[in-house]
Amino acid sequence: MRDILPGLQARCAAGMPFALATVVAVHGSAPRDPGAVMAVDGAGSVLGSVSGGCVEGDVYEVAREVLAGAGPRVVSYGISDDEAFGVGLTCGGTIEVLVRAYVSQAELADLAALLDLIAADLPVAEATVLSGAAETGARLVVRPTSSSGTLGTLGTEGLDAAVTDDARGMLAQGLTGIQRYGSHGQRRMQEVAVFVRTYAPPPRMIVFGAIDHAAATARIGSFLGYRVTVCDARPAFATRERFPTADEVVRAWPHDYLEATEVDARTVICVLTHDPKFDVPLLVAALRTPAAYIGVMGSRRTHSDRLARLREAGVDEAALARLASPVGLDLGARTPEETAVSIAAEIIQHRWGGTGRPLGELTGAIHRDR
């Protein structure tokens, strides 16, 4: 959603009807995760993608039919289906796509309110009925707390209450998926399928060291969807001009900044300073955080010296094992941009558990279970 957010907001603001196709379930190997979206407006313009090109043509036709008044529907594509094979989903999995239209001014205004929350990086969940004893396409927008309220309805008070409760739990964990209920929200029943899509604020990437490698890493971090902060204590180097793609540039001693800022289990930290007076206190602070990834630049000799200094500072072996150092995968990188790609590749590998080996050397599913 975030990658086509400005286009969707512009269409809502202009009162331009459009159909929105959303991947709601993935089984086996498939190119996009649940939550991937594609919009089709009355002029035939397309934003986004639901499959990376495999089934877009067929989804486009369904979207045009829905926009013309056919009503919301869920369509499935899988390798076992002749129709799906014909439209190109040959990766071996199955995807289910909800296609619904936003036509009236009220519908566009309701969607615009959700888009504004997402654009402001405020946590929010959207629940949509897929099938069963409730109206397909009915929507409920849920904020994290009861004081912030909800918008819309799925049809019954009991169903709204149950879905609101579950959506808040999923939002806290950053989960997206299908939940099933009775028609009045009863648990352990299968009468209504509801797709819950959560929108948490983007994860953070904190890059320490205002060098050329940091500029390239900040650019690729932004491309991957991180909210990027660059921090360096040197005013001449930590400037907006040097890091135009970063969300913020901070002039501060690295360990002081890290100890004062929010770090959660999705945050990635890239230490590119390779200077002991910065590195050691910074890494002592970093290893106290729940950060998902802590990558540190430097040669093997620098890394060995750094480990010795950290041990002297009281860091234990279990904590030291969290360091990705020397940072990045072995791609043969030479330039700052190539090095940034190797760092990004290691972050992705760490997140999803990949091997880092060429796919051509492996067997089995390319896309791991979500």
Side-chain angles (χ1 to χ4, degrees):
M1 179 77 82
R2 292 182 188 277
D3 55 343
I4 63 171
L5 194 59
L8 295 179
Q9 288 180 302
R11 283 160 174 75
C12 288
M16 180 185 299
F18 60 89
L20 195 64
T22 305
V23 177
V24 296
V26 167
H27 310 284
S29 180
R32 299 295 302 272
D33 285 330
V37 297
M38 183 178 86
V40 179
D41 62 31
S45 297
V46 177
L47 294 174
S49 168
V50 293
S51 71
C54 297
V55 302
E56 259 71 8
D58 194 74
V59 174
Y60 175 85
E61 295 301 330
V62 174
R64 297 276 284 181
E65 293 171 8
V66 169
L67 190 56
R73 70 175 100 159
V74 177
V75 290
S76 298
Y77 301 96
I79 187 59
S80 61
D81 302 323
D82 291 340
E83 179 183 0
F85 188 86
V87 298
L89 188 65
T90 58
C91 52
T94 301
I95 64 172
E96 297 178 33
V97 181
L98 168 68
V99 186
R100 64 151 298 166
Y102 295 86
V103 177
S104 70
Q105 294 304 304
E107 290 172 330
L108 291 168
D110 285 348
L111 181 60
L114 170 65
L115 299 178
D116 288 345
L117 292 171
I118 297 170
D121 288 338
L122 296 173
V124 63
E126 179 187 31
T128 308
V129 172
L130 300 181
S131 62
E135 181 184 355
T136 299
R139 297 171 61 248
L140 180 70
V141 175
V142 180
R143 298 296 308 281
T145 63
S146 57
S147 61
S148 54
T150 60
L151 175 67
T153 180
L154 303 181
T156 68
E157 184 177 341
L159 183 58
D160 285 351
V163 172
T164 296
D165 186 50
D166 288 347
R168 285 179 176 145
M170 295 173 70
L171 183 58
Q173 299 178 66
L175 301 177
T176 287
I178 296 175
Q179 302 293 316
R180 300 183 187 277
Y181 306 88
S183 59
H184 293 279
Q186 302 96 320
R187 308 289 181 175
R188 297 184 296 278
M189 295 186 70
Q190 305 289 314
E191 293 178 346
V192 182
V194 179
F195 176 63
V196 180
R197 172 71 165 104
T198 63
Y199 299 92
R204 297 190 68 192
M205 172 184 281
I206 309 177
V207 182
F208 292 99
I211 61 175
D212 288 346
H213 290 82
T217 301
R219 288 197 296 273
I220 202 166
S222 296
F223 177 75
L224 292 176
Y226 287 93
R227 181 176 181 271
V228 178
T229 298
V230 176
C231 176
D232 195 295
R234 301 167 296 176
F237 292 90
T239 66
R240 171 57 62 186
E241 291 74 19
R242 285 170 54 81
F243 300 95
T245 64
D247 294 282
E248 59 179 351
V249 179
V250 176
R251 299 171 185 171
W253 279 85
H255 69 281
D256 288 339
Y257 173 74
L258 188 61
E259 289 172 347
T261 195
E262 181 179 356
V263 174
D264 62 22
R266 300 187 302 155
T267 302
V268 300
I269 297 173
C270 300
V271 179
L272 310 183
T273 53
H274 54 79
D275 183 331
K277 70 176 178 290
F278 292 113
D279 287 1
V280 173
L282 171 58
L283 291 173
V284 169
L287 289 169
R288 294 188 184 126
T289 73
Y293 171 90
I294 305 171
V296 194
M297 178 172 280
S299 67
R300 298 190 188 282
R301 180 176 178 179
T302 298
H303 175 58
S304 179
D305 177 70
R306 183 188 294 126
L307 290 179
R309 291 172 183 270
L310 289 170
R311 290 187 181 103
E312 290 176 3
V315 179
D316 62 32
E317 297 303 314
L320 293 176
R322 295 178 59 198
L323 298 178
S325 180
V327 68
L329 296 186
D330 179 18
L331 304 181
R334 293 292 185 270
T335 68
E337 290 74 18
E338 290 174 346
T339 301
V341 170
S342 79
I343 293 171
E346 186 174 49
I347 290 171
I348 295 168
Q349 178 203 26
H350 187 83
R351 180 180 182 185
W352 296 112
T355 66
R357 295 171 55 196
L359 288 171
E361 296 180 359
L362 304 175
T363 59
I366 292 176
H367 300 283
R368 296 168 179 267
D369 290 339
R370 269 61 179 170

